[in-house]
Amino acid sequence: MSLLDFSNDVFIAAFFLYSAAFMLFTIAIMGRRWSGREPEEHSARWGRAAFIASSLGLLCHLAYFFTRWAGGGHIPVSNMYEFMTFLSMMVMVAFTVIFSIYRKILLGLFSVPISIIVMAYAAVFPQEVQPLIPSLRSIYLNIHVTLAAFGESFFAVAFAAGLMYLLRTVNFNSSSKSDKRQQRGVEFTLFIIIVIIGFLASVFAFRGAGYETVFIRSNVTVDNPGQKDSTIEKVSYKMPPIVAPYHSEIESFQSILGIKKPLFEAPFWMKGVNAGRKLNTVIWSLLTGAVLYGVLRLLVRKPLGRALQPVLDGIDEGDLDEITYRAIAIGFPIFTLGALIFAMIWAQVAWGRFWGWDPKEVWALVTWLFYSAYLHLRLARGWQGRRSAWLAVLGFLIVMFTLVGVNLVIAGLHSYAGTD
Amino acid sequence: MSGNPPLIVNTKCECGHQNPVGTVLCEACGNPLLDGADSARPLEMRYDGKARRSQKTNPGVIDRVWNFFSSVKIAIYLIVLTLLGSTLGTVFPQESTFLHIDPSTYYKQRYGTAGDIYYRLGLSHTYESWWFITLLVMIGASLVICSLDRVLPLYKALSRQQIRKHRRFLTRQRVALATKVAEGPEDWVSKAVQPLKKQGYRVMTDGGALLAEKHRFSRWGPYIIHIGLIIFLLAVLARGLPGLHMDQHLAFPQGEIVHIPDTSYYLVNERFTVEFYKDEEMPEEFRGKKVLPKLYETKAVLYECTADCGDPSREPKLAKVASHAIQVNDPLSYKGMKAYQFDYDLTPVLRSVTPKLVNSATGESYGSFKLEMKNPQRSFTAGPYTLELKEKYMEFGLSEEGKPISKSPYPNEPAFFFLIKGPKLPAGGEPYFYFPKQNDKAEFQQDAINDKLGGQGRFLELEVGDMSGVDVSESTSYLNVRVDRAMPFVWVGAGIVMLGLVLGFYWQHRRIWLTVGEGELTLGAHTNKNWYGLRREVSSFLKKMDINADEKSLENGGDPA
C-alpha cells in the first residue's frame, strides 16, 4: 500500500471517528435527563468518551496530513481539497485547545460538526495530488496558508460558542419586537447551515448516481472589422440543470424524472459559461436545504432554535460569552500573522509588491477589520453577551466568504486554488 | 451626568486627594466618585478611572479635534467604513489589474450598465480614491490620538498605585469577596504573600492591606499594536514619495544586455528556461490531458556602469556586480533593487544578421559585415563599397501618407535603408532597402522597391547565405524591476504590531487587592481579560488560605457596561 493510499484511508477513519465523537457528545448532553442517572456523572463519562473519540480522529487526521505530505512531496495545502481538509483539521486543533482550557463538553457538540461539514465540503473537490506550479513553490506556502487556516479555525470555534450563547439566551417565548428579531436571526443562521448541508447532500447524491449533462456555447467575437473569431465553450453539469447557461445549446442531456430540458436560462448578465452552472448549484442547494429544513420542522413541530434551546439548559451563559471572546482573542494574532503579515511577505517575494488589492487580499483585510471592530466594541465599548455573540457568528460568515465565496464569485490571483 | 454641569465641580475625594475633572475613581484610594455610596454595580475600571485629556472642560478648537479623534466610537466607525469601502472595490476587477485598457469604455463593454455606473462612481479605482485615502489617514490620526489620550493616564495610574484601597473600590470589583477571618490583619496578610508569589504575582503590603499584580506589560499591548500600525501606515504613504519607489516591467531577450532605465545598472538574461512536469510526475488523472509548468528561470547577470555612463558616443564601462538564477519566488536582489520573474515569450527575436554584398550579375562576393538590430553601426565596408545606414525601421510599416515608419521598437519586421557608394555607382550613391527576414523581403517586395529606387543598372544585393549568418535570441524573459526603499519600515511596523498582539492577547494584567480589618477580609480582583482564569486563580489562592470560595461565587454581577 502506498503512502497516499494509506493517507486516504486514515482520512476516512478520521471522518468516521469525528462522526462517532459527535454522536457521543450528543448522548453526553441529551442523555442527562434519562431516567436513573446522575446528570453530572453521565455527562462527564460520555463526554470523556466523546473527547477520546474526537482526539483519536484528530490523530488520524494528522496522520493523513503528514503521510500525504511525504507521499506528495509538498505540504498538502495547495488546492481547495487540501486546504479544506487542513482547515477542518485545524478546527479540531482549535477545539482541543479551547476544550482543554474550559472543559465544556457542550463545545464539542457544536465544534465537531463544523469540522465534519468542512471535511465533507473538501470531498466536493478533486482529490489527486497535483504537482506545484512555480508560483506555489515557496516555503511561504507552508507558513502563510497553515497559519491563516489556524487563526480562522479559532474564529470557527468562536462561531460555535457564539451560536450556543444565542441559542441559550434568546427568549423563544417572548413575542416582543426585539426578541422576535433575535429569534428570526437564530433561525436564519440555522437555515444557512442546513442549506450548506443540502448543498453537500445534492453534490454527493448526484455524483453517486453519475449524473452528467453537457452544454456548449459558441462565442463569436469580432476582433477586427470583417474578422470573426469564434470559440466554443463547454460546460458539464453534475446536477440536473434547472438553469442552463445563457445562450447555450445542449450537447448531451441525461433526463431525470421525465424532464428533458432545462427549465430556465441564466439571465444575460451571467456572462461566463460557468456562471449558469454555479447558479444551478445554488438553486439545488437551496431546494435541498429547504426540503431538509421542512422535514426537520415537521419532526420537531417548532422553530429549530426553540427545539435546540433545552439542550443548552443549565449551561452558564457567562462562560459561553467568555469562550467566544477568548477563542477570538487567541485566533486574532495568529490570523494577523498568517493571513496578513506572511501573506505580505510572500507577495513581496513572489510578485514584488506586498499588497495589491487583489480580492482575496481585500477580504482578508475585511476579516481583520471586522474582528478589530469586534475587539474595540467589546473592550472599549462594553459590547458583551448577545451583541458580541452575533458579531462572532457574522465574523465567521465573513471568514467563509473570504475562503470560499471569493473564489466562487470573484476571480483574482488566488483563483488557481482549484475551485469548482 | 446630564443637564448643566455645575460651575465648580468638587473633585476632592473623602481621603483628601484632589482629583482632576473627569476622574471616575479617586487616583489615590480608588473610591468611586461619580455615583452614590449605595450603588453596587461593578466598577468601570478602564484606564483605572483616571481622567483623560479629552475630558477637559471648555474645549477649544484643537481640543475638539482631539476629542473627535480620541473617541473609540469614532475609531470603530472609521474601521467599519473602511471595511465597507474595501468590499466595494472587489465587486468588479480594479483598473490596476489590467495593463492596457481604456477604463472609460472597458467597464461598460464588459459589465454593461452596472459596470458603467461602477466606473462613473470611481469604484474602478476604489483604493486610490480620495475618500478611501482620507479614511486611512483618519484611521492613522485616530490611532495616534486615541493611544496618547489613554496611554499617558494609564501609565500614571499604574506607576503610582496605592496599596490600601477604599472598601467600596474592593467590593465593587467584578471579582470580589468579603468574609470573616479570625487572625489579625498583619498576620493574615503576611501569610498570604507566599502563595501569591507562587502564582507569579509581585506582592506589596502595607500593614493589613495587600496588592498583588502580574503581567502589567500586557496592558501596553494595544498601544504597541497602534505604534506598529502607525509606522506601517507612514511607510505605505512614504512609498509615494519620489525616489523611494520604482516599478518597471522590462523585456530581456536572451543573451542581450539591457540598460535598466533611470539607473546605472545593466542586466543580461544569459539563459531563460521553462520546464514542464513530465507525465510520470503527474497524477494519473492528468496524464496526457494537462500541461503544468514546473519552473521559470532566468539566469541573470547584473552590471553596474562605472564610467562613460551618460555619454552616447562611447561604450559604457560595465562591472559585474551580481548574478542570480531568478525564479518565481526567488528574485535577484542587489542594493535594494530587485528583479522578479514576471513573464516570458518563447518567440525567437532577431538579434543580428551578417549579410554578404554580392554582385547579382556575376555572383561575385565583396565581403560581409555584421548588422545589429539594436544600435547598429552607421557605416559598413564590403570590398570597394561603403554602405551608409540612413534609416532603420524595427517594425516596418507605411504611414497614412505612404511614408515608411516603424510601428514599434521591437525587431519584429526590421528594415534598413542604405546608401551604397563605390565603383560603377552614381556619385551620390545608390539607395538600397534591406529586409533581413525572408518573409518580410517577400511581403514588402524588397526587389521591386529597390528596382524603383536604383533603376535598371542595379547589380548589388545584400544576401544572407545560411543560418550561420543569422543570430537569434531564442526567447525573451520579462522581468519586473523594483526598488522599494520604504519596505524595511513596512516590516518593522508589521513586526511591532505582532509583538503588541502577542503581549496584549496571550498575557493578561491581573491585580488582587485585599484589606483585613475588624475581623473581616475584603478582596477585590481585576483583569483586562480572561475573567474565568482570574476567578480560578483567586479561588485556588483562597483555598490555600483555608477559605472555600467557589469560582462562580466570586463573580460580582456580570458586565460593567
Side-chain angles (χ1 to χ4, degrees):
Chain A
M1 190 161 67
S2 79
L3 267 179
L4 289 176
D5 291 333
F6 173 77
S7 175
N8 287 336
D9 292 345
V10 280
F11 182 72
I12 290 166
F15 184 81
F16 283 114
L17 278 165
Y18 290 158
S19 306
F22 175 53
M23 281 185 252
L24 289 169
F25 275 121
T26 314
I27 294 172
I29 300 296
M30 304 283 219
R32 277 175 306 178
R33 264 175 256 106
W34 288 346
S35 56
R37 281 161 203 272
E38 283 293 318
E40 294 283 314
E41 192 201 330
H42 169 90
S43 280
R45 203 173 58 228
W46 286 90
R48 196 177 318 118
F51 186 65
I52 289 170
S54 80
S55 302
L56 285 176
L58 181 56
L59 282 180
C60 286
H61 208 156
L62 285 163
Y64 144 82
F65 179 73
F66 287 107
T67 47
R68 190 178 170 102
W69 190 341
H74 60 83
I75 188 168
V77 291
S78 68
N79 58 27
M80 233 11 193
Y81 169 75
E82 291 176 347
F83 179 77
M84 285 297 157
T85 56
F86 182 77
L87 182 68
S88 62
M89 183 166 89
M90 284 294 119
V91 170
M92 289 308 294
V93 172
F95 158 71
T96 308
V97 169
I98 299 286
F99 183 84
S100 57
I101 301 176
Y102 291 99
R103 305 267 163 198
K104 296 282 173 239
I105 289 157
L106 196 66
L107 196 57
L109 188 60
F110 285 79
S111 301
V112 175
I114 295 181
S115 180
I116 294 175
I117 289 174
V118 176
M119 253 175 138
Y121 181 59
V124 169
F125 300 100
Q127 297 168 21
E128 61 273 4
V129 177
Q130 301 170 4
L132 293 182
I133 55 172
S135 56
L136 289 180
R137 290 167 59 135
S138 165
I139 182 70
Y140 296 111
L141 174 69
N142 304 25
I143 304 171
H144 157 61
V145 181
T146 51
L147 278 179
F150 192 39
E152 281 153 353
S153 61
F154 279 98
F155 298 155
V157 173
F159 165 79
L163 186 59
M164 280 155 70
Y165 182 91
L166 293 171
L167 285 168
R168 172 80 182 81
T169 60
V170 168
N171 185 353
F172 284 96
N173 296 317
S174 155
S175 56
S176 82
K177 213 172 164 192
S178 77
D179 282 327
K180 277 273 173 212
R181 223 176 51 217
Q182 302 275 337
Q183 291 166 18
R184 277 198 296 270
V186 169
E187 205 61 16
F188 182 70
T189 312
L190 294 173
F191 179 70
I192 296 274
I193 295 172
I194 290 172
V195 167
I196 292 168
I197 296 171
F199 161 74
L200 295 170
S202 27
V203 168
F204 293 119
F206 289 119
R207 184 184 288 178
Y211 185 87
E212 184 172 24
T213 279
V214 180
F215 290 94
I216 50 168
R217 179 170 74 183
S218 54
N219 292 334
V220 179
T221 48
V222 181
D223 279 351
N224 292 314
Q227 200 175 349
K228 276 188 194 166
D229 199 5
S230 83
T231 51
I232 288 179
E233 286 180 294
K234 230 183 216 192
V235 60
S236 157
Y237 276 46
K238 305 290 182 194
M239 291 186 197
I242 297 172
V243 177
Y246 178 65
H247 271 199
S248 63
E249 282 162 52
I250 298 165
E251 190 186 75
S252 69
F253 197 94
Q254 193 176 337
S255 68
I256 188 161
L257 299 172
I259 299 168
K260 291 200 168 53
K261 63 180 176 53
L263 301 177
F264 308 98
E265 188 174 76
F268 73 95
W269 45 269
M270 289 199 157
K271 292 235 167 73
V273 73
N274 280 313
R277 182 176 56 79
K278 287 175 185 171
L279 178 66
N280 191 56
T281 307
V282 169
I283 293 174
W284 270 106
S285 311
L286 284 172
L287 276 179
T288 325
V291 170
L292 260 177
Y293 180 79
V295 169
L296 285 172
R297 278 297 288 266
L298 278 176
L299 282 176
V300 298
R301 289 176 189 282
K302 53 185 146 186
L304 299 185
R306 180 196 287 250
L308 277 170
Q309 190 159 46
V311 175
L312 292 114
D313 266 354
I315 302 297
D316 185 81
E317 57 195 69
D319 284 348
L320 288 175
D321 182 51
E322 170 107 13
I323 291 172
T324 311
Y325 166 62
R326 200 72 197 291
I328 290 173
I330 293 174
F332 189 71
I334 303 175
F335 178 81
T336 311
L337 185 64
L340 293 174
I341 296 183
F342 273 109
M344 288 193 276
I345 294 176
W346 192 6
Q348 181 70 21
V349 171
W351 297 320
R353 90 283 186 291
F354 67 99
W355 194 261
W357 298 108
D358 175 66
K360 199 83 164 186
E361 291 172 350
V362 174
W363 278 93
L365 177 69
V366 165
T367 310
W368 189 80
L369 288 173
F370 183 86
Y371 282 102
S372 323
Y374 167 91
L375 291 167
H376 282 92
L377 283 167
R378 185 172 176 109
L379 296 174
R381 305 289 306 168
W383 276 36
Q384 302 200 347
R386 206 176 283 171
R387 287 196 280 191
S388 161
W390 273 119
L391 289 180
V393 169
L394 186 60
F396 189 60
L397 292 184
I398 296 179
V399 169
M400 287 321 284
F401 183 79
T402 307
L403 293 180
V404 181
V406 171
N407 294 48
L408 285 179
V409 185
I410 313 168
L413 288 171
H414 280 74
S415 53
Y416 48 67
T419 339
D420 207 10
Chain B
M1 295 229 294
S2 56
N4 292 329
L7 277 178
I8 300 163
V9 189
N10 183 13
T11 51
K12 193 167 185 172
C13 176
E14 51 193 73
C15 72
H17 183 83
Q18 181 65 52
N19 292 296
V21 175
T23 306
V24 182
L25 306 173
C26 170
E27 290 176 336
C29 71
N31 183 26
L33 300 171
L34 294 181
D35 37 25
D38 49 337
S39 173
R41 278 189 313 126
L43 290 178
E44 174 54 70
M45 283 288 288
R46 263 176 260 155
Y47 328 114
D48 272 29
K50 258 188 92 76
R52 291 175 282 128
R53 187 193 191 280
S54 57
Q55 287 165 330
K56 231 177 173 179
T57 44
N58 301 326
V61 179
I62 293 177
D63 293 321
R64 280 176 199 278
V65 174
W66 179 278
N67 292 357
F68 178 79
F69 281 112
S70 72
S71 153
V72 175
K73 203 173 175 177
I74 296 295
I76 294 169
Y77 275 119
L78 290 174
I79 293 175
V80 172
L81 283 176
T82 311
L83 184 160
L84 295 175
S86 311
T87 61
L88 288 179
T90 61
V91 175
F92 294 128
Q94 294 284 297
E95 283 168 32
S96 57
T97 43
F98 307 103
L99 282 175
H100 309 289
I101 57 155
D102 177 7
S104 60
T105 53
Y106 177 82
Y107 285 90
K108 189 166 186 170
Q109 273 175 10
R110 178 71 182 77
Y111 302 105
T113 318
D116 194 36
I117 295 170
Y118 193 74
Y119 168 73
R120 279 169 199 280
L121 287 176
L123 293 174
S124 56
H125 47 89
T126 307
Y127 309 108
E128 291 86 42
S129 61
W130 61 268
W131 57 268
F132 193 79
I133 308 267
T134 309
L135 274 174
L136 291 185
V137 170
M138 282 172 81
I139 283 186
S142 166
L143 281 169
V144 174
I145 295 175
C146 261
S147 305
L148 283 180
D149 196 49
R150 287 166 174 77
V151 74
L152 298 176
L154 181 67
Y155 178 77
K156 279 187 205 150
L158 291 181
S159 51
R160 274 191 246 137
Q161 293 188 71
Q162 237 187 36
I163 297 164
R164 186 178 289 276
K165 289 284 185 183
H166 198 280
R167 189 171 190 279
R168 277 206 292 275
F169 177 84
L170 300 181
T171 54
R172 285 181 59 192
Q173 290 298 327
R174 264 183 74 184
V175 173
L177 175 84
T179 186
K180 295 262 174 284
V181 285
E183 284 160 89
E186 265 139 65
D187 294 343
W188 200 93
V189 165
S190 61
K191 238 177 72 187
V193 173
Q194 264 319 306
L196 283 169
K197 278 198 169 154
K198 245 197 171 138
Q199 286 180 329
Y201 283 91
R202 281 188 300 128
V203 185
M204 287 170 288
T205 58
D206 173 12
L210 174 146
L211 164 61
E213 183 179 16
K214 72 171 169 190
H215 302 157
R216 188 196 285 178
F217 61 84
S218 127
R219 288 298 278 273
W220 314 126
Y223 307 103
I224 296 174
I225 298 170
H226 290 175
I227 291 170
L229 285 174
I230 290 162
I231 295 175
F232 183 90
L233 281 176
L234 285 178
V236 172
L237 285 179
R239 292 172 78 237
L241 296 177
L244 289 181
H245 188 68
M246 179 184 91
D247 178 8
Q248 31 189 352
H249 293 86
L250 301 171
F252 295 88
Q254 186 169 305
E256 194 174 301
I257 192 153
V258 177
H259 177 226
I260 300 170
D262 308 323
T263 67
S264 58
Y265 295 110
Y266 288 75
L267 190 141
V268 58
N269 158 16
E270 294 201 317
R271 183 164 179 75
F272 176 75
T273 330
V274 196
E275 266 180 43
F276 294 94
Y277 283 102
K278 296 185 197 81
D279 259 1
E280 58 267 26
E281 291 173 300
M282 302 242 270
E284 274 167 43
E285 294 85 338
F286 286 12
R287 283 175 201 168
K289 286 184 206 153
K290 270 196 186 179
V291 182
L292 273 183
K294 185 180 185 179
L295 178 75
Y296 305 124
E297 185 182 77
T298 306
K299 287 219 160 55
V301 180
L302 186 73
Y303 295 90
E304 186 169 15
C305 176
T306 52
D308 302 330
C309 299
D311 191 347
S313 65
R314 293 204 220 163
E315 278 288 293
K317 289 198 173 56
L318 299 181
K320 179 176 168 181
V321 288
S323 68
H324 188 69
I326 300 173
Q327 296 180 9
V328 184
N329 284 315
D330 189 7
L332 175 145
S333 172
Y334 181 72
K335 287 192 178 166
M337 187 180 78
K338 296 195 174 191
Y340 297 85
Q341 186 65 51
F342 176 72
D343 201 356
Y344 67 96
D345 186 357
L346 295 180
T347 322
V349 176
L350 191 61
R351 199 154 45 203
S352 73
V353 285
T354 311
K356 279 185 290 203
L357 187 69
V358 292
N359 186 323
S360 55
T362 64
E364 188 190 349
S365 171
Y366 299 107
S368 62
F369 58 91
K370 191 172 177 188
L371 176 62
E372 301 267 359
M373 294 300 118
K374 252 183 186 175
N375 305 322
Q377 281 173 260
R378 303 306 298 178
S379 73
F380 307 90
T381 49
Y385 295 99
T386 58
L387 295 94
E388 271 177 50
L389 181 59
K390 289 291 177 193
E391 291 288 345
K392 68 164 186 168
Y393 310 92
M394 288 287 89
E395 189 170 342
F396 185 79
L398 291 171
S399 70
E400 279 175 19
E401 295 90 49
K403 293 220 170 94
I405 51 157
S406 192
K407 291 194 285 189
S408 83
Y410 305 108
N412 297 332
E413 291 172 334
F416 297 85
F417 180 56
F418 294 102
L419 202 59
I420 311 174
K421 287 179 182 167
K424 295 193 216 162
L425 290 180
E430 186 181 85
Y432 184 83
F433 248 103
Y434 176 53
F435 292 86
K437 284 190 180 174
Q438 280 302 319
N439 335 351
D440 299 345
K441 195 174 189 170
E443 189 191 334
F444 296 108
Q445 300 176 7
Q446 179 183 321
D447 291 341
I449 297 177
N450 285 331
D451 285 348
K452 216 170 174 184
L453 289 170
Q456 289 302 316
R458 200 171 71 83
F459 59 93
L460 288 172
E461 291 286 2
L462 281 173
E463 273 172 16
V464 176
D466 49 35
M467 283 314 283
S468 68
V470 181
D471 181 21
V472 176
S473 83
E474 286 167 30
S475 59
T476 306
S477 176
Y478 292 88
L479 301 180
N480 181 203
V481 181
R482 285 179 174 256
V483 174
D484 217 334
R485 306 239 176 255
M487 281 323 286
F489 298 97
V490 169
W491 301 134
V492 166
I496 293 174
V497 170
M498 260 335 282
L499 175 76
L501 281 169
V502 169
L503 291 184
F505 282 105
Y506 297 150
W507 278 277
Q508 301 98 31
H509 180 217
R510 291 176 180 175
R511 278 177 295 173
I512 301 171
W513 299 269
L514 56 89
T515 55
V516 185
E518 292 161 19
E520 195 195 39
L521 159 76
T522 318
L523 176 145
H526 183 259
T527 179
N528 57 337
K529 50 183 78 81
N530 190 9
W531 293 91
Y532 181 87
L534 178 70
R535 286 199 301 270
R536 206 160 49 179
E537 210 162 66
V538 171
S539 166
S540 92
F541 156 69
L542 289 171
K543 205 170 217 161
K544 281 181 204 150
M545 299 299 294
D546 297 319
I547 297 172
N548 253 331
D550 173 48
E551 288 172 35
K552 275 281 142 190
S553 72
L554 292 168
E555 187 156 13
N556 183 16
D559 316 328

